[in-house]
Amino acid sequence: MTDTNTRRVAIVTGASRGIGAEVARTLAGACRHVVLVARNADRLDQLRAAICADGGQASVRACDVTDQADLEATIESTQNDYGRLDVLVNNAGITRDNLLLRMSDEEFDEVIQTNLRSAFVACRAALRPMMRGKWGRIVNISSVAGLVGNAGQANYAAAKAGLIGLTRSIAKEMASKNIAANVVAPGFIETDMTESLPQKVKDLAVQATPMRRMGRPEDVAGAVAYLTGENAGFVTGQVLAVDGGMTMC
């Protein structure tokens, strides 16, 4: 697969920075045409230029994933423009941390809307073109917080745990259609989101990680590349923790 018409087409949400940007670069390097989705069009344009400079293919779709009509139109336009949609990576996410007794309805709902409901909307819209193409890979980016919970992140943990249930249900429904759905659950990864954490919190995270370091975005991107690749067709409904061993303790 080397030309525009035969490359598999992948959508990556939350692609403007961090894990999403690295996933997009990695998939482009694996001969995917990557559709970059996020709200910040300027950042997406910079990433597209970098991907193309490296010999990859990418296009930009500025989209608010919490706007259902906008997200569905983005997926529909991708199918219309390229005649296919093969890969969906739901990476978009936010945090609104607070202790449960202090957490507002708005803080809970906003995280669920962005981190979980948008993935539901995107998966539902993407399944039809995948079924027509008789091939598909869905990877939803969860978190170790969705596996073990985290104090001060009841909203985030609930959304990330919800992604696991959503993904496994899709995997069971779509297995006979040659569509695989899996979860990647990162631990503490060096991104803008974790950079803002107090140093004490980061130190504790490293101490809780058997590999004694924080992960890098490319660690997560490598897992996504495998699960969206040609050789992962018999892997579905799985949760791959990319966490340096944190959740095995």
Side-chain angles (χ1 to χ4, degrees):
M1 296 181 186
T2 55
D3 59 57
T4 304
N5 294 324
T6 59
R7 288 184 186 228
R8 295 206 185 276
V9 174
I11 288 177
V12 179
T13 71
S16 61
R17 61 182 184 174
I19 290 172
E22 190 61 35
V23 166
R25 281 189 286 264
T26 300
L27 295 187
C31 292
R32 268 57 174 158
H33 179 100
V34 183
V35 180
L36 311 170
V37 175
R39 287 180 294 185
N40 193 318
D42 290 339
R43 284 186 177 178
L44 294 181
D45 284 334
Q46 293 171 13
L47 178 57
R48 183 196 62 79
I51 287 172
C52 292
D54 287 337
Q57 293 185 5
S59 53
V60 168
R61 297 287 191 281
C63 171
D64 180 355
V65 298
T66 66
D67 184 327
Q68 180 171 337
D70 194 11
L71 182 54
E72 289 175 336
T74 294
I75 293 172
E76 182 179 1
S77 69
T78 298
Q79 161 67 21
N80 292 339
D81 289 349
Y82 303 107
R84 63 192 301 165
L85 174 57
D86 306 285
V87 174
L88 172 65
V89 180
N90 284 306
N91 169 73
I94 62 171
T95 56
R96 296 290 183 267
D97 296 351
N98 213 339
L99 294 174
L100 186 61
L101 288 173
R102 300 174 182 171
M103 186 174 291
S104 67
D105 291 350
E106 292 75 18
E107 287 171 331
F108 186 86
D109 291 344
E110 189 176 359
V111 170
I112 296 295
Q113 180 82 8
T114 303
N115 297 14
L116 179 58
R117 193 177 191 281
S118 69
F120 155 71
V121 171
C123 288
R124 185 177 60 183
L127 284 174
R128 292 193 183 279
M130 288 180 180
M131 290 173 66
R132 285 195 293 271
K134 300 179 180 180
W135 196 97
R137 301 282 189 269
I138 293 172
V139 173
N140 291 321
I141 306 298
S142 180
S143 166
V144 295
L147 296 173
V148 299
N150 198 27
Q153 290 193 313
N155 48 5
Y156 185 78
K160 293 302 189 178
L163 281 176
I164 295 172
L166 171 67
T167 305
R168 285 179 164 161
S169 297
I170 293 169
K172 289 186 175 182
E173 291 182 14
M174 292 291 118
S176 64
K177 306 297 183 183
N178 199 30
I179 298 171
N182 292 286
V183 171
V184 171
F188 278 85
I189 308 297
E190 295 174 349
T191 65
D192 292 347
M193 187 178 292
T194 56
E195 179 61 29
S196 62
L197 293 172
Q199 187 59 46
K200 183 178 180 180
V201 173
K202 290 188 279 190
D203 291 342
L204 288 172
V206 170
Q207 291 173 20
T209 303
M211 286 190 170
R212 292 296 186 266
R213 68 171 177 87
M214 295 180 70
R216 295 179 289 269
E218 52 264 37
D219 295 324
V220 181
V224 175
Y226 166 67
L227 291 172
T228 58
E230 306 296 329
N231 296 325
F234 203 55
V235 181
T236 196
Q238 302 304 305
V239 180
L240 177 53
V242 182
D243 64 355
M246 178 182 288
T247 53
M248 74 175 178
C249 297

